[in-house]
Amino acid sequence: HSHHMGIYHMDNSTMPPHHHMTTSHSHGGGDMMMMMPMTFYFDFKNVELLFSSLVINTPGEMAGAFVAVFLLAMFYEGLKIAREGLLRKSQVSIRYNSMPVPGPNGTILMETHKTVGQQMLSFPHLLQTVLHIIQVVISYFLMLIFMTYNGYLCIAVAAGAGTGYFLFSWKKAVVVDITEHCH
C-alpha cells in the first residue's frame, strides 16, 4: 500500500529480542509500526499501562504502578471472597431432594440432600450481578497488565493476588455436612 503516508518498514533484526512488531492504523490514514514485548523484561522506560495515556518512564512511576497493581490484585482476591460470603447470606430457599442410592445386600436407601437457591429479581442477586461485572473487569485488567510482560508489573499482580488470598481467604467457612454419607 504505497499510497499511505507514514509507513515505516523495519527489519526484525534491529528489534530487541523481547519485542514483536505490530501494525497500528492512525486516524490520519497512515500505518504506524509499534513494538510489543513478547518475552519478560525488567525496565521502567516507555511502559504503557492499560491506556496509551498511562506511560511509565521513571523508577518512581514504576514504583507507584507496582503499588497500584499490587492493591488492585489484592482487592480482586478480597472481592471474590466477599462475593462468596454475600452469596451464603442471601440464600433464601432451602429445598430437600431425596434420591435412591444402592445400599448393602442389594437394598435401596434414600439419601436426602439440601439444595439452596435465591430469587432472581432480589436485591442480593442484583448486587451479586454488579459485583460480578466489577470482578470480571478487574480480572481482565490484571490479565492485560500481566501481558505487558513487564517483570515488575507481573510480580505486582502475583504478589498482590497472593497477599489478598492470604489476608482474606482464611475467613472462608468450611461447611461440613455430618449427615453426608458419600465420601
Side-chain angles (χ1 to χ4, degrees):
H1 298 273
S2 59
H3 64 278
H4 283 129
M5 300 291 288
I7 296 177
Y8 299 101
H9 296 282
M10 296 181 81
D11 182 3
N12 282 345
S13 64
T14 62
M15 286 193 299
H18 64 272
H19 282 69
H20 175 72
M21 255 189 326
T22 59
T23 303
S24 164
H25 301 285
S26 68
H27 293 290
D31 289 341
M32 293 183 345
M33 296 308 250
M34 297 172 40
M35 300 214 303
M36 196 171 125
M38 297 303 288
T39 57
F40 290 101
Y41 67 101
F42 287 86
D43 197 4
F44 56 83
K45 291 188 189 297
N46 209 23
V47 179
E48 287 186 353
L49 184 61
L50 296 177
F51 304 98
S52 59
S53 59
L54 271 177
V55 180
I56 299 166
N57 280 309
T58 67
E61 289 172 351
M62 181 57 78
F66 185 96
V67 170
V69 169
F70 179 90
L71 292 174
L72 185 65
M74 230 173 77
F75 176 74
Y76 173 75
E77 290 297 325
L79 180 59
K80 286 193 319 186
I81 303 299
R83 283 192 57 222
E84 287 177 19
L86 284 173
L87 183 61
R88 274 194 300 279
K89 287 179 184 174
S90 69
Q91 293 169 333
V92 291
S93 63
I94 297 177
R95 295 187 309 263
Y96 294 90
N97 291 334
S98 294
M99 57 189 277
V101 292
N105 303 325
T107 60
I108 301 290
L109 302 174
M110 294 301 284
E111 276 194 358
T112 302
H113 298 273
K114 289 188 231 180
T115 59
V116 184
Q118 68 180 12
Q119 296 174 347
M120 188 163 91
L121 292 177
S122 65
F123 175 75
H125 184 63
L126 294 174
L127 177 62
Q128 280 284 353
T129 302
V130 170
L131 292 176
H132 176 73
I133 292 168
I134 293 168
Q135 182 180 337
V136 167
V137 169
I138 291 172
S139 71
Y140 280 117
F141 277 0
L142 291 171
M143 177 197 65
L144 290 171
I145 290 167
F146 208 92
M147 287 176 61
T148 65
Y149 288 98
N150 184 283
Y152 301 120
L153 298 177
C154 292
I155 290 169
V157 170
T163 303
Y165 183 84
F166 178 79
L167 292 176
F168 302 119
S169 72
W170 69 273
K171 292 183 183 181
K172 272 185 170 181
V174 177
V175 178
V176 178
D177 186 356
I178 59 171
T179 64
E180 181 64 46
H181 300 296
C182 299
H183 295 285

